[in-house]
Amino acid sequence: MNLLETKWGRLAAFFLLYVTEGLPLGFAAGAIAVYMRREGLGIDEMGAFIAAYYAPWGFKWAFGPVVDLVGSKRIGHRRGWILLAQGILILTLLAASGIDYSANLRTFTLVMVLGSGISALQDVAIDALAVSRLKEEERGLGNGLMFAGAYLGQALGGSGMLYLAGAMGSLQPTFYAVAGLVASVWLIAALFMDEGGEGPPTAGVDASAVLKAIWEYVKGAATAILGSRQSIAALVLALLPASAMAMGLALQSALAVEVGLSDEQIATLGLAGAIAAAAGSVMGGLISDRLGHRRTLAVYVVATLVPTAILAWQMQQHGWIEPIAPDAPDARVPAASLVATFWWATVGYGFASGLTYGTRMAIFMSVCAPAVAATQFTAYMAGANLAISYSAAWQGVSVERWGYPATLALDCAAGLACLLVLPFVKPRQETTTTEALEAGANPYG
Protein backbone atom coordinates (compact mmCIF):
# COMPACT_ATOMS: atom_id res chain seq x y z
CA MET A 1 0.00 0.00 0.00
CA ASN A 2 1.23 3.46 -0.95
CA LEU A 3 -0.58 6.31 0.82
CA LEU A 4 0.59 8.82 -1.77
CA GLU A 5 -1.35 7.09 -4.55
CA THR A 6 -4.87 7.93 -3.33
CA LYS A 7 -6.58 11.15 -2.27
CA TRP A 8 -7.44 10.05 1.27
CA GLY A 9 -4.11 8.31 1.63
CA ARG A 10 -2.32 11.57 0.77
CA LEU A 11 -4.48 13.55 3.17
CA ALA A 12 -3.83 11.05 5.96
CA ALA A 13 -0.11 11.03 5.23
CA PHE A 14 0.31 14.81 5.43
CA PHE A 15 -1.92 15.00 8.51
CA LEU A 16 0.35 12.52 10.32
CA LEU A 17 3.53 14.22 9.12
CA TYR A 18 2.31 17.54 10.52
CA VAL A 19 1.53 15.85 13.83
CA THR A 20 5.27 15.16 14.13
CA GLU A 21 5.94 18.86 13.54
CA GLY A 22 3.62 19.94 16.35
CA LEU A 23 4.78 17.29 18.85
CA PRO A 24 8.23 18.71 19.70
CA LEU A 25 6.98 22.32 19.70
CA GLY A 26 4.21 21.51 22.17
CA PHE A 27 6.59 19.39 24.24
CA ALA A 28 9.18 22.17 24.58
CA ALA A 29 6.85 25.15 25.08
CA GLY A 30 4.35 23.21 27.17
CA ALA A 31 5.54 20.23 29.20
CA ILE A 32 9.24 21.07 29.50
CA ALA A 33 8.61 24.76 30.26
CA VAL A 34 6.17 23.82 33.04
CA TYR A 35 8.67 21.47 34.66
CA MET A 36 11.46 24.00 34.34
CA ARG A 37 9.46 26.45 36.41
CA ARG A 38 8.32 23.78 38.85
CA GLU A 39 11.98 22.90 39.48
CA GLY A 40 12.99 26.49 40.14
CA LEU A 41 14.40 27.82 36.86
CA GLY A 42 13.95 31.56 36.39
CA ILE A 43 11.47 32.93 33.89
CA ASP A 44 14.33 34.65 32.07
CA GLU A 45 15.99 31.25 31.67
CA MET A 46 12.74 29.73 30.46
CA GLY A 47 12.25 32.60 28.02
CA ALA A 48 15.78 32.17 26.68
CA PHE A 49 15.16 28.43 26.21
CA ILE A 50 11.90 28.98 24.29
CA ALA A 51 13.52 31.76 22.24
CA ALA A 52 16.43 29.50 21.29
CA TYR A 53 14.07 26.63 20.50
CA TYR A 54 12.02 28.70 18.05
CA ALA A 55 15.02 30.46 16.48
CA PRO A 56 15.87 27.80 13.82
CA TRP A 57 12.39 28.16 12.36
CA GLY A 58 13.28 31.74 11.48
CA PHE A 59 15.97 30.48 9.12
CA LYS A 60 14.27 27.44 7.61
CA TRP A 61 14.25 29.15 4.20
CA ALA A 62 17.96 28.24 3.90
CA PHE A 63 17.02 24.54 3.73
CA GLY A 64 14.92 25.10 0.60
CA PRO A 65 17.55 24.83 -2.13
CA VAL A 66 19.30 21.95 -0.36
CA VAL A 67 16.07 19.94 -0.18
CA ASP A 68 15.28 20.82 -3.81
CA LEU A 69 18.68 19.85 -5.23
CA VAL A 70 19.97 17.04 -3.02
CA GLY A 71 18.28 13.72 -2.36
CA SER A 72 18.04 10.02 -3.03
CA LYS A 73 16.19 8.62 -6.01
CA ARG A 74 16.04 5.16 -4.42
CA ILE A 75 14.51 6.34 -1.13
CA GLY A 76 12.60 9.26 -2.60
CA HIS A 77 13.68 12.84 -3.11
CA ARG A 78 11.65 14.52 -0.32
CA ARG A 79 10.78 11.36 1.61
CA GLY A 80 14.49 10.76 2.16
CA TRP A 81 14.84 14.12 3.91
CA ILE A 82 11.72 13.46 6.01
CA LEU A 83 13.02 10.07 7.15
CA LEU A 84 16.45 11.50 7.92
CA ALA A 85 15.02 14.45 9.86
CA GLN A 86 12.64 12.30 11.90
CA GLY A 87 15.45 9.85 12.68
CA ILE A 88 17.71 12.62 14.00
CA LEU A 89 14.78 14.17 15.92
CA ILE A 90 14.26 10.85 17.69
CA LEU A 91 17.95 10.70 18.61
CA THR A 92 17.97 14.27 19.98
CA LEU A 93 14.94 13.51 22.17
CA LEU A 94 16.62 10.40 23.55
CA ALA A 95 19.84 12.34 24.14
CA ALA A 96 18.00 15.19 25.88
CA SER A 97 16.24 12.73 28.21
CA GLY A 98 19.55 12.03 29.93
CA ILE A 99 20.47 15.68 30.55
CA ASP A 100 19.52 17.42 33.79
CA TYR A 101 18.37 20.82 32.54
CA SER A 102 18.47 22.27 36.06
CA ALA A 103 22.22 21.66 36.24
CA ASN A 104 23.14 21.75 32.53
CA LEU A 105 20.66 24.11 30.90
CA ARG A 106 23.06 25.18 28.14
CA THR A 107 23.81 21.61 27.05
CA PHE A 108 20.14 20.65 27.23
CA THR A 109 19.18 23.71 25.18
CA LEU A 110 21.80 22.95 22.51
CA VAL A 111 20.50 19.40 22.08
CA MET A 112 16.87 20.52 21.95
CA VAL A 113 17.67 23.34 19.51
CA LEU A 114 19.36 20.79 17.24
CA GLY A 115 16.11 18.84 17.29
CA SER A 116 14.17 22.03 16.53
CA GLY A 117 16.40 22.78 13.55
CA ILE A 118 15.84 19.27 12.26
CA SER A 119 12.08 19.76 12.67
CA ALA A 120 12.34 22.93 10.58
CA LEU A 121 14.19 20.96 7.89
CA GLN A 122 11.45 18.34 8.02
CA ASP A 123 8.83 21.07 7.58
CA VAL A 124 10.48 22.25 4.36
CA ALA A 125 10.64 18.69 3.01
CA ILE A 126 7.01 17.94 3.96
CA ASP A 127 5.77 21.13 2.31
CA ALA A 128 7.80 20.37 -0.83
CA LEU A 129 6.33 16.86 -0.95
CA ALA A 130 2.83 18.27 -0.45
CA VAL A 131 3.28 20.75 -3.29
CA SER A 132 4.36 17.98 -5.63
CA ARG A 133 1.76 15.38 -4.56
CA LEU A 134 -1.46 17.17 -3.55
CA LYS A 135 -3.73 17.83 -6.50
CA GLU A 136 -5.21 21.31 -6.99
CA GLU A 137 -8.65 20.25 -5.77
CA GLU A 138 -7.12 18.67 -2.64
CA ARG A 139 -4.99 21.56 -1.42
CA GLY A 140 -7.61 23.45 0.57
CA LEU A 141 -8.66 20.41 2.58
CA GLY A 142 -5.08 19.20 2.65
CA ASN A 143 -3.76 22.39 4.25
CA GLY A 144 -6.62 22.41 6.73
CA LEU A 145 -5.83 18.86 7.81
CA MET A 146 -2.11 19.61 7.99
CA PHE A 147 -2.63 22.49 10.42
CA ALA A 148 -5.13 20.37 12.35
CA GLY A 149 -2.38 17.77 12.64
CA ALA A 150 0.01 20.42 13.95
CA TYR A 151 -2.53 21.50 16.61
CA LEU A 152 -3.05 17.87 17.60
CA GLY A 153 0.70 17.35 17.79
CA GLN A 154 1.13 20.38 20.03
CA ALA A 155 -1.68 19.17 22.30
CA LEU A 156 -0.10 15.70 22.51
CA GLY A 157 3.35 17.13 23.14
CA GLY A 158 2.17 19.63 25.74
CA SER A 159 -1.00 18.50 27.51
CA GLY A 160 -0.57 14.82 26.67
CA MET A 161 2.93 14.65 28.08
CA LEU A 162 1.90 16.54 31.22
CA TYR A 163 -0.82 13.98 31.83
CA LEU A 164 1.73 11.21 31.31
CA ALA A 165 4.35 12.87 33.53
CA GLY A 166 1.78 13.22 36.28
CA ALA A 167 0.89 9.54 36.03
CA MET A 168 4.53 8.43 35.90
CA GLY A 169 5.76 10.86 38.56
CA SER A 170 8.53 12.22 36.33
CA LEU A 171 9.05 14.12 33.09
CA GLN A 172 11.80 11.79 31.85
CA PRO A 173 9.50 9.05 30.45
CA THR A 174 7.78 11.64 28.27
CA PHE A 175 10.93 12.07 26.18
CA TYR A 176 10.65 8.40 25.26
CA ALA A 177 6.93 8.80 24.60
CA VAL A 178 7.44 11.72 22.19
CA ALA A 179 10.28 9.85 20.49
CA GLY A 180 8.02 6.81 20.19
CA LEU A 181 5.22 8.82 18.58
CA VAL A 182 7.65 10.27 16.05
CA ALA A 183 9.06 6.78 15.43
CA SER A 184 5.58 5.43 14.66
CA VAL A 185 5.10 8.05 11.93
CA TRP A 186 8.65 7.33 10.72
CA LEU A 187 7.65 3.70 10.19
CA ILE A 188 4.51 4.73 8.32
CA ALA A 189 6.59 7.01 6.08
CA ALA A 190 9.18 4.28 5.52
CA LEU A 191 6.68 1.52 4.74
CA PHE A 192 3.66 3.23 3.21
CA MET A 193 4.85 6.41 1.45
CA ASP A 194 6.60 5.90 -1.88
CA GLU A 195 7.49 8.76 -4.20
CA GLY A 196 7.85 6.33 -7.06
CA GLY A 197 11.58 6.72 -7.66
CA GLU A 198 11.41 10.49 -8.08
CA GLY A 199 14.89 11.89 -7.58
CA PRO A 200 16.53 15.31 -7.32
CA PRO A 201 17.31 17.33 -10.45
CA THR A 202 21.05 16.94 -9.89
CA ALA A 203 22.99 13.71 -10.20
CA GLY A 204 24.58 13.12 -6.83
CA VAL A 205 25.59 15.85 -4.42
CA ASP A 206 27.09 18.75 -6.33
CA ALA A 207 28.30 21.16 -3.66
CA SER A 208 28.92 24.01 -6.11
CA ALA A 209 25.43 23.64 -7.56
CA VAL A 210 23.90 23.70 -4.09
CA LEU A 211 25.86 26.79 -3.06
CA LYS A 212 24.93 28.52 -6.29
CA ALA A 213 21.27 27.63 -5.78
CA ILE A 214 21.36 28.98 -2.24
CA TRP A 215 22.81 32.25 -3.48
CA GLU A 216 20.18 32.52 -6.21
CA TYR A 217 17.50 31.68 -3.68
CA VAL A 218 18.66 34.45 -1.34
CA LYS A 219 18.72 36.94 -4.21
CA GLY A 220 15.27 35.88 -5.36
CA ALA A 221 13.87 36.13 -1.85
CA ALA A 222 15.40 39.57 -1.33
CA THR A 223 13.97 40.80 -4.61
CA ALA A 224 10.54 39.39 -3.80
CA ILE A 225 10.46 40.90 -0.33
CA LEU A 226 11.93 44.29 -1.20
CA GLY A 227 10.46 44.68 -4.69
CA SER A 228 7.43 46.79 -3.75
CA ARG A 229 6.07 48.96 -0.97
CA GLN A 230 3.40 46.47 0.03
CA SER A 231 5.90 43.59 0.18
CA ILE A 232 8.22 45.64 2.42
CA ALA A 233 5.26 46.51 4.65
CA ALA A 234 4.37 42.80 4.81
CA LEU A 235 7.92 42.00 5.92
CA VAL A 236 7.65 44.56 8.73
CA LEU A 237 4.28 43.07 9.68
CA ALA A 238 5.86 39.60 9.82
CA LEU A 239 8.71 40.78 12.02
CA LEU A 240 6.40 42.51 14.51
CA PRO A 241 4.47 40.55 17.15
CA ALA A 242 1.21 39.39 15.59
CA SER A 243 -0.73 40.51 18.68
CA ALA A 244 -0.25 40.21 22.41
CA MET A 245 1.88 37.05 22.74
CA ALA A 246 2.87 36.52 26.38
CA MET A 247 -0.11 34.29 27.17
CA GLY A 248 1.08 31.81 24.55
CA LEU A 249 4.74 31.61 25.57
CA ALA A 250 6.89 30.82 28.63
CA LEU A 251 5.18 33.41 30.84
CA GLN A 252 1.91 31.47 30.72
CA SER A 253 3.62 28.18 31.61
CA ALA A 254 5.45 29.82 34.51
CA LEU A 255 2.27 31.41 35.87
CA ALA A 256 0.39 28.12 35.69
CA VAL A 257 2.92 26.64 38.09
CA GLU A 258 3.06 29.68 40.38
CA VAL A 259 -0.71 29.90 40.89
CA GLY A 260 -0.67 26.33 42.15
CA LEU A 261 -2.11 24.30 39.27
CA SER A 262 -1.18 20.64 39.24
CA ASP A 263 0.31 18.98 36.17
CA GLU A 264 -3.07 17.48 35.33
CA GLN A 265 -4.80 20.86 35.68
CA ILE A 266 -2.16 22.53 33.50
CA ALA A 267 -2.58 19.80 30.92
CA THR A 268 -6.36 20.27 30.90
CA LEU A 269 -5.93 24.03 30.58
CA GLY A 270 -3.50 23.55 27.70
CA LEU A 271 -5.91 21.23 25.94
CA ALA A 272 -8.77 23.70 26.40
CA GLY A 273 -6.57 26.48 25.01
CA ALA A 274 -5.61 24.39 21.97
CA ILE A 275 -9.26 23.56 21.21
CA ALA A 276 -10.18 27.24 21.57
CA ALA A 277 -7.31 28.24 19.24
CA ALA A 278 -8.36 25.70 16.61
CA ALA A 279 -11.96 26.94 16.76
CA GLY A 280 -10.80 30.55 16.55
CA SER A 281 -8.60 29.81 13.56
CA VAL A 282 -11.50 28.35 11.56
CA MET A 283 -13.98 31.05 12.64
CA GLY A 284 -11.52 33.87 12.08
CA GLY A 285 -10.76 32.72 8.56
CA LEU A 286 -14.42 32.38 7.61
CA ILE A 287 -15.28 35.83 8.94
CA SER A 288 -12.26 37.52 7.37
CA ASP A 289 -13.10 36.08 3.94
CA ARG A 290 -16.47 37.83 4.15
CA LEU A 291 -15.53 41.13 5.80
CA GLY A 292 -11.96 41.71 4.63
CA HIS A 293 -8.67 40.40 5.97
CA ARG A 294 -7.00 43.62 7.11
CA ARG A 295 -10.10 45.00 8.83
CA THR A 296 -10.81 41.80 10.73
CA LEU A 297 -7.15 41.24 11.65
CA ALA A 298 -7.12 44.62 13.37
CA VAL A 299 -10.16 43.56 15.43
CA TYR A 300 -8.59 40.18 16.21
CA VAL A 301 -5.35 41.78 17.37
CA VAL A 302 -7.26 44.01 19.79
CA ALA A 303 -9.17 40.93 20.98
CA THR A 304 -5.91 39.30 22.14
CA LEU A 305 -5.24 42.34 24.33
CA VAL A 306 -8.46 41.93 26.31
CA PRO A 307 -7.62 38.73 28.28
CA THR A 308 -3.99 39.87 28.59
CA ALA A 309 -4.96 43.26 30.06
CA ILE A 310 -7.59 41.73 32.38
CA LEU A 311 -5.02 39.31 33.79
CA ALA A 312 -2.48 42.13 34.25
CA TRP A 313 -5.07 44.22 36.14
CA GLN A 314 -6.11 41.31 38.35
CA MET A 315 -2.50 40.47 39.19
CA GLN A 316 -1.86 44.09 40.12
CA GLN A 317 -4.99 44.13 42.29
CA HIS A 318 -3.89 40.98 44.12
CA GLY A 319 -0.30 42.19 44.55
CA TRP A 320 1.03 39.34 42.42
CA ILE A 321 3.92 41.29 40.94
CA GLU A 322 7.26 39.51 41.17
CA PRO A 323 7.81 35.86 40.23
CA ILE A 324 8.37 33.54 43.18
CA ALA A 325 9.34 29.89 42.83
CA PRO A 326 6.49 27.66 44.03
CA ASP A 327 8.82 25.83 46.43
CA ALA A 328 10.19 29.03 47.97
CA PRO A 329 9.68 29.52 51.75
CA ASP A 330 7.59 32.65 51.11
CA ALA A 331 5.55 31.13 48.27
CA ARG A 332 2.16 32.78 47.94
CA VAL A 333 -1.29 31.21 47.95
CA PRO A 334 -3.32 32.82 45.16
CA ALA A 335 -6.89 33.93 45.65
CA ALA A 336 -9.47 31.71 43.96
CA SER A 337 -10.61 34.69 41.85
CA LEU A 338 -7.08 35.17 40.50
CA VAL A 339 -6.80 31.49 39.55
CA ALA A 340 -10.18 31.67 37.82
CA THR A 341 -9.11 34.81 35.94
CA PHE A 342 -5.90 33.12 34.84
CA TRP A 343 -7.83 30.07 33.61
CA TRP A 344 -10.36 31.99 31.55
CA ALA A 345 -7.77 34.48 30.31
CA THR A 346 -5.68 31.58 28.96
CA VAL A 347 -8.62 29.99 27.14
CA GLY A 348 -9.86 33.37 25.90
CA TYR A 349 -6.41 34.27 24.67
CA GLY A 350 -6.17 30.94 22.84
CA PHE A 351 -9.39 31.69 20.97
CA ALA A 352 -8.38 35.29 20.15
CA SER A 353 -4.93 34.20 19.03
CA GLY A 354 -6.50 31.56 16.80
CA LEU A 355 -8.62 34.27 15.17
CA THR A 356 -5.48 36.07 14.02
CA TYR A 357 -3.65 33.07 12.60
CA GLY A 358 -5.36 32.18 9.33
CA THR A 359 -6.23 35.81 8.61
CA ARG A 360 -2.61 36.89 8.92
CA MET A 361 -1.53 34.07 6.61
CA ALA A 362 -4.13 35.15 4.06
CA ILE A 363 -2.74 38.70 4.11
CA PHE A 364 0.78 37.44 3.44
CA MET A 365 -0.46 35.28 0.57
CA SER A 366 -2.28 38.25 -0.97
CA VAL A 367 0.99 40.19 -1.16
CA CYS A 368 3.07 37.41 -2.72
CA ALA A 369 3.99 37.61 -6.40
CA PRO A 370 2.76 34.47 -8.19
CA ALA A 371 6.14 33.83 -9.83
CA VAL A 372 7.92 33.48 -6.49
CA ALA A 373 5.01 32.90 -4.11
CA ALA A 374 6.61 30.00 -2.25
CA THR A 375 9.87 31.83 -1.68
CA GLN A 376 8.19 35.03 -0.58
CA PHE A 377 5.66 33.33 1.71
CA THR A 378 8.38 31.23 3.37
CA ALA A 379 10.32 34.41 4.09
CA TYR A 380 7.30 35.97 5.80
CA MET A 381 6.78 32.80 7.86
CA ALA A 382 10.43 32.88 8.89
CA GLY A 383 10.01 36.49 10.03
CA ALA A 384 6.93 35.52 12.06
CA ASN A 385 8.90 32.75 13.77
CA LEU A 386 11.67 35.21 14.62
CA ALA A 387 9.03 37.45 16.23
CA ILE A 388 7.99 34.55 18.46
CA SER A 389 11.61 33.89 19.38
CA TYR A 390 12.57 37.43 20.40
CA SER A 391 9.22 37.96 22.17
CA ALA A 392 9.88 34.96 24.39
CA ALA A 393 13.37 36.29 25.15
CA TRP A 394 12.43 39.85 26.15
CA GLN A 395 9.39 38.76 28.14
CA GLY A 396 11.48 36.45 30.31
CA VAL A 397 13.90 39.26 31.12
CA SER A 398 11.06 41.73 31.67
CA VAL A 399 9.24 39.54 34.21
CA GLU A 400 12.40 39.14 36.27
CA ARG A 401 13.09 42.91 36.22
CA TRP A 402 9.65 44.54 36.34
CA GLY A 403 7.19 41.80 37.25
CA TYR A 404 4.14 40.26 35.63
CA PRO A 405 1.67 43.17 35.33
CA ALA A 406 4.23 45.48 33.71
CA THR A 407 5.35 42.76 31.29
CA LEU A 408 1.76 41.97 30.28
CA ALA A 409 1.15 45.70 29.72
CA LEU A 410 4.28 45.97 27.57
CA ASP A 411 3.13 42.89 25.67
CA CYS A 412 -0.16 44.63 24.87
CA ALA A 413 1.70 47.71 23.62
CA ALA A 414 4.00 45.58 21.47
CA GLY A 415 1.00 43.73 20.06
CA LEU A 416 -0.60 47.00 18.92
CA ALA A 417 2.49 48.02 16.94
CA CYS A 418 1.50 45.85 13.98
CA LEU A 419 -1.63 47.98 13.48
CA LEU A 420 0.59 50.91 12.45
CA VAL A 421 1.88 49.05 9.41
CA LEU A 422 -1.28 47.08 8.56
CA PRO A 423 -2.84 49.83 6.34
CA PHE A 424 0.22 49.68 4.07
CA VAL A 425 0.01 45.90 3.50
CA LYS A 426 -2.21 45.98 0.44
CA PRO A 427 -3.05 42.95 -1.71
CA ARG A 428 -1.42 43.02 -5.12
CA GLN A 429 -4.71 43.76 -6.87
CA GLU A 430 -5.00 46.97 -4.83
CA THR A 431 -1.70 48.43 -6.02
CA THR A 432 -1.56 51.70 -7.91
CA THR A 433 -1.11 51.91 -11.68
CA THR A 434 2.57 52.77 -11.28
CA GLU A 435 3.13 49.82 -8.98
CA ALA A 436 1.23 47.56 -11.36
CA LEU A 437 3.49 48.59 -14.23
CA GLU A 438 6.53 47.95 -12.07
CA ALA A 439 5.14 44.55 -11.14
CA GLY A 440 4.58 43.77 -14.80
CA ALA A 441 8.21 44.52 -15.56
CA ASN A 442 9.42 42.63 -12.53
CA PRO A 443 7.92 39.22 -11.67
CA TYR A 444 8.95 39.66 -8.05
CA GLY A 445 6.49 42.55 -7.63
Side-chain angles (χ1 to χ4, degrees):
M1 180 178 68
N2 180 11
L3 292 175
L4 299 180
E5 287 184 345
T6 65
K7 173 184 176 179
W8 291 106
R10 287 187 289 271
L11 295 175
F14 290 115
F15 171 82
L16 290 172
L17 289 172
Y18 256 65
V19 168
T20 62
E21 289 191 26
L23 269 168
L25 289 172
F27 186 47
I32 293 176
V34 166
Y35 267 73
M36 282 182 169
R37 186 56 181 157
R38 197 174 293 287
E39 295 177 19
L41 268 70
I43 300 176
D44 54 345
E45 294 175 302
M46 292 171 57
F49 168 72
I50 298 299
Y53 193 82
Y54 272 96
W57 288 78
F59 303 94
K60 68 177 185 176
W61 55 267
F63 294 127
V66 179
V67 170
D68 282 341
L69 288 175
V70 181
S72 168
K73 183 176 182 180
R74 184 173 65 86
I75 300 175
H77 183 185
R78 277 65 182 247
R79 188 183 70 145
W81 283 109
I82 294 169
L83 292 174
L84 176 64
Q86 290 183 346
I88 297 175
L89 176 59
I90 292 168
L91 293 176
T92 59
L93 287 166
L94 295 177
S97 70
I99 302 173
D100 181 358
Y101 49 75
S102 296
N104 299 289
L105 181 58
R106 179 173 296 181
T107 302
F108 179 81
T109 300
L110 287 173
V111 174
M112 290 297 293
V113 168
L114 172 61
S116 178
I118 290 299
S119 292
L121 168 61
Q122 179 193 201
D123 175 65
V124 173
I126 292 172
D127 287 347
L129 182 61
V131 168
S132 67
R133 290 295 173 174
L134 286 177
K135 300 183 184 299
E136 180 66 30
E137 64 272 16
E138 300 170 357
R139 289 179 179 172
L141 178 58
N143 275 282
L145 287 172
M146 286 158 71
F147 282 109
Y151 274 122
L152 175 60
Q154 290 182 45
L156 284 172
S159 297
M161 293 307 111
L162 283 173
Y163 284 129
L164 180 60
M168 300 294 291
S170 169
L171 184 66
Q172 186 175 25
T174 63
F175 287 87
Y176 305 128
V178 175
L181 289 170
V182 176
S184 66
V185 178
W186 187 95
L187 286 174
I188 292 172
L191 298 175
F192 303 113
M193 297 182 198
D194 186 358
E195 286 186 82
E198 180 181 334
T202 57
V205 180
D206 186 338
S208 63
V210 173
L211 291 174
K212 181 179 179 181
I214 292 174
W215 174 242
E216 293 298 325
Y217 188 94
V218 170
K219 290 197 299 182
T223 305
I225 295 167
L226 304 175
S228 67
R229 286 190 290 273
Q230 73 266 32
S231 61
I232 294 173
L235 174 61
V236 176
L237 180 66
L239 290 170
L240 289 172
S243 58
M245 300 184 73
M247 292 299 293
L249 297 173
L251 183 148
Q252 188 267 342
S253 297
L255 263 178
V257 174
E258 288 193 34
V259 298
L261 298 185
S262 67
D263 289 353
E264 184 175 347
Q265 290 172 324
I266 295 173
T268 301
L269 178 58
L271 183 60
I275 293 172
S281 181
V282 174
M283 184 180 297
L286 290 173
I287 295 173
S288 68
D289 282 343
R290 291 175 175 268
L291 301 181
H293 296 130
R294 290 187 297 165
R295 180 185 307 169
T296 52
L297 180 61
V299 175
Y300 299 160
V301 166
V302 173
T304 67
L305 273 58
V306 175
T308 306
I310 290 175
L311 181 61
W313 177 70
Q314 280 291 299
M315 295 187 77
Q316 187 71 42
Q317 291 295 108
H318 286 84
W320 200 286
I321 310 298
E322 302 296 331
I324 296 180
D327 58 350
D330 56 345
R332 296 162 293 193
V333 177
S337 60
L338 179 59
V339 176
T341 299
F342 172 70
W343 183 280
W344 290 112
T346 299
V347 176
Y349 172 81
F351 178 75
S353 178
L355 289 173
T356 69
Y357 191 82
T359 304
R360 193 165 177 246
M361 302 307 104
I363 289 175
F364 290 141
M365 287 182 179
S366 72
V367 175
C368 292
V372 288
T375 297
Q376 197 170 354
F377 188 74
T378 299
Y380 292 143
M381 293 302 94
N385 287 320
L386 283 176
I388 295 173
S389 178
Y390 73 68
S391 294
W394 77 256
Q395 287 166 12
V397 174
S398 177
V399 169
E400 293 289 350
R401 291 188 178 182
W402 300 303
Y404 284 115
T407 300
L408 290 169
L410 288 171
D411 182 46
C412 289
L416 283 173
C418 67
L419 300 184
L420 298 176
V421 71
L422 190 58
F424 302 98
V425 187
K426 298 179 180 179
R428 289 176 56 79
Q429 62 266 30
E430 293 184 13
T431 57
T432 64
T433 302
T434 301
E435 289 171 328
L437 291 172
E438 292 172 352
N442 179 0
Y444 296 102

